[in-house]
Amino acid sequence: MSSRETTPARGNVIERAGERIANAVERWMPSPFLFAVILSYVVFVVGVVVEGQGPADMVFHWYDGFWAFLTFAMQMVLIIMTGFVIAYHPWVNRGLQRLAAVPTSSGQAVVLVGVVSMALAWVHWGFSLVVGAIFAREMGKAAYRKGIDVHYPLLCVAGYMGLGLTWHWGLSGSAPLLLATPENEFIELGIVDAPLGTSATIFSTYALALTALSIAFAAIVLYLLTPPAERSTGISEYIPEEELFATATDGGADDEVADGTAAGDGAVGESTPESGASGGGTPVPAERIDNSLLLGGLIALTGVAVVAYLFATEGLDALNLNVLNFAFLFVGLLIYTRPAVYRERFGEAAEAAAGIILLFPFFAGIQGMMTGSGLAETMAEGLLAVSSPETFPVIAWLTAAVVNLFVPSGGGEWIVLGPSVLEAAQEMGVPIGQATMAYAVGDAHTNLLNPFWALPLLAITRIRAREMFGYAIAMLLALIPFLAIVLYVLPY
């Protein structure tokens, strides 16, 4: 990237700092997989030096950790895959294209992508991650068409902001949903007597106020980080123009997505891997069954009805990880309806989740070393020991933020560190729900440094981690004073 000159219009301190951080990170940041490998070595050495563990002990802690959270890993994969499938439906794609046509400046474009990503992450982090990536790409295309010079790496960071700020306070937040799940680990450990409903966590006034204030502040920072036209690198520098406009984001022709006839819209008559017919001939009976509206629609409605019944009888407290995945699984089938098309979309979603499937065991191994050696407990107890009822939310945030650098799994971290956090909260008289949500802030915040969860976004936007994470780190740093103040002053 060539050197850039500061202009009065956009040459503010935040924008210049963001540019310097971005340039440094682009030179030095390793790939996400190597990032996980390096962290494995770091935790290994710290466990030996700080906790006095033998090298062989650390190796077996690492091995044991690989298989400790297979159930949770599958839940996380389902969250991202169900979100991916719904996000790639042509109805959603057309809506994003219309929304991308709204901004008239680069700052507006970046802020709109960021706000949409953060708002959707509160609903479903997997949906937000995929929609945020698609929207960043669509916004880059729309800006290119209109001659608006918008910096594509910052657009990609805006599309990732849901994972970097709001996801863990929302409907798919691992920590609050684990507490709401019957017979969860915290009940078995005797820390809580019964499941803690989401009315005390996700839907509390504390969490809702925290979410609204954070989205507003992050939108302002994104606007201030936006470089001027002469220092912006557009989408065509990352995706060749002929490829960018030859196909839509979901792999179908633009006009097919526009008129709803793409395979993702359930069109019959196109050959699929499930069908026994070729070309556009008369479908064979097996193909008719595979594309049956009746078979797909009936089971989809049944699944949606089950979810509706649970919420009708149990209220918002019915929400947990299993209910969330069940709901999105059958909502996706309902909007696609045809089983064969839905299965194809899941095949595409598996590719987007491949990086997470590879990296999750490595980060689970890191967690195994931290847990088995006692390092995680030492870190948590050390931080929480210096807290008071007034500073507890800030310390809980910092605890999660530090551990998330090594183990970017909200639910996995919470299983390990949650007992220490909740026991300390109870000793100080801090409500469990608020302690959980303060912890969730830190777990989301340092996703802006660790590229693990950005893997699907990187695949969709066709950008490398080191090309966008400089601006992600700039966002992380800008959020630190804001989060410290708001967590300290926001009343329970």
Side-chain angles (χ1 to χ4, degrees):
M1 190 175 294
S2 61
S3 60
R4 300 168 176 178
E5 298 179 0
T6 304
T7 63
R10 281 286 192 272
N12 62 75
V13 174
I14 293 177
E15 188 269 319
R16 292 198 304 271
E19 182 190 20
R20 286 194 292 269
I21 294 171
N23 289 338
V25 170
E26 187 169 352
R27 293 188 62 188
W28 292 100
M29 187 174 191
S31 69
F33 183 49
L34 189 58
F35 193 92
V37 171
I38 292 172
L39 286 179
S40 298
Y41 285 116
V42 170
V43 174
F44 176 87
V45 172
V46 173
V48 171
V49 174
V50 175
E51 297 295 334
Q53 296 281 306
D57 293 330
M58 290 299 291
V59 168
F60 281 102
H61 292 325
W62 176 68
Y63 171 78
D64 291 338
F66 262 67
W67 322 116
F69 299 119
L70 288 180
T71 298
F72 179 71
M74 184 61 180
Q75 288 173 322
M76 294 299 100
V77 169
L78 272 177
I79 282 181
I80 195 167
M81 290 178 70
T82 54
F84 181 101
V85 169
I86 295 175
Y88 265 123
H89 194 280
W91 295 346
V92 178
N93 195 257
R94 286 198 298 270
L96 293 177
Q97 289 174 347
R98 293 191 184 101
L99 200 57
V102 173
T104 58
S105 70
S106 57
Q108 291 176 13
V110 170
V111 170
L112 183 57
V113 172
V115 170
V116 168
S117 172
M118 290 184 283
L120 288 179
W122 190 89
V123 178
H124 186 293
W125 69 259
F127 187 56
S128 167
L129 179 57
V130 178
V131 170
I134 297 172
F135 194 28
R137 180 164 167 160
E138 288 298 327
M139 188 66 78
K141 289 167 63 176
Y144 184 87
R145 286 191 179 105
K146 294 190 290 186
I148 299 174
D149 295 307
V150 59
H151 197 46
Y152 189 58
L154 185 57
L155 268 183
C156 295
V157 171
Y160 185 62
M161 280 306 301
L163 266 289
L165 192 59
T166 57
W167 82 269
H168 213 156
W169 312 332
L171 305 184
S172 61
S174 301
L177 292 187
L178 279 173
L179 281 177
T181 301
E183 301 179 5
N184 63 68
E185 288 83 352
F186 300 96
I187 296 175
E188 293 177 358
L189 291 172
I191 297 172
V192 296
D193 298 326
L196 183 68
T198 52
S199 58
T201 53
I202 297 169
F203 297 105
S204 66
T205 303
Y206 179 81
L208 294 174
L210 186 60
T211 301
L213 290 170
S214 298
I215 290 176
F217 180 82
I220 294 171
V221 176
L222 284 171
Y223 185 83
L224 293 175
L225 277 173
T226 304
E230 57 269 29
R231 296 209 303 273
S232 295
T233 307
I235 190 172
S236 60
E237 297 296 320
Y238 300 88
I239 306 175
E241 184 178 354
E242 61 275 11
E243 179 182 343
L244 187 64
F245 295 104
T247 59
T249 54
D250 65 348
D254 282 333
D255 55 354
E256 289 179 341
V257 172
D259 64 17
T261 60
D265 206 19
V268 181
E270 295 186 15
S271 178
T272 72
E274 303 287 341
S275 70
S278 61
T282 303
V284 298
E287 187 176 8
R288 291 195 185 97
I289 294 171
D290 288 339
N291 287 283
S292 171
L293 291 171
L294 177 62
L295 293 177
L298 182 60
I299 195 170
L301 287 171
T302 302
V304 172
V306 169
V307 175
Y309 174 80
L310 290 173
F311 280 102
T313 55
E314 301 179 33
L316 296 175
D317 291 339
L319 187 63
N320 58 50
L321 278 173
N322 292 333
V323 171
L324 178 78
N325 274 327
F326 190 87
F328 268 77
L329 187 67
F330 285 98
V331 166
L333 180 56
L334 184 63
I335 63 174
Y336 281 96
T337 307
R338 294 178 171 86
V341 174
Y342 195 46
R343 193 218 64 79
E344 286 181 28
R345 281 305 194 219
F346 256 82
E348 296 167 9
E351 183 178 352
I356 290 175
I357 294 170
L358 170 64
L359 266 67
F360 206 103
F362 281 88
F363 280 108
I366 294 171
Q367 183 165 281
M369 288 192 286
M370 294 186 69
T371 305
S373 67
L375 182 60
E377 187 175 354
T378 298
M379 292 173 61
E381 290 178 351
L383 285 168
L384 295 171
V386 300
S387 67
S388 65
E390 293 75 24
T391 62
F392 184 87
V394 177
I395 300 300
W397 156 54
L398 293 175
T399 301
V402 171
V403 175
N404 188 58
L405 293 176
F406 301 95
V407 189
S409 165
E413 292 169 41
W414 185 240
I415 290 172
V416 175
L417 299 183
S420 298
V421 173
L422 295 185
E423 287 173 352
Q426 290 173 322
E427 289 177 6
M428 296 181 194
V430 176
I432 289 178
Q434 279 76 4
T436 302
M437 301 316 288
Y439 177 93
V441 174
D443 173 70
H445 183 205
T446 42
N447 282 343
L448 291 169
L449 178 59
N450 193 325
F452 175 64
W453 290 113
L455 289 170
L457 179 139
L458 298 176
I460 293 168
T461 58
R462 300 284 299 278
I463 197 169
R464 290 177 292 184
R466 62 185 179 87
E467 292 171 333
M468 65 168 274
F469 263 82
Y471 283 99
I473 293 171
M475 283 296 305
L476 180 146
L477 296 175
L479 284 165
I480 289 175
F482 165 78
L483 291 174
I485 293 171
V486 76
L487 286 170
Y488 185 77
V489 303
L490 192 65
Y492 289 161

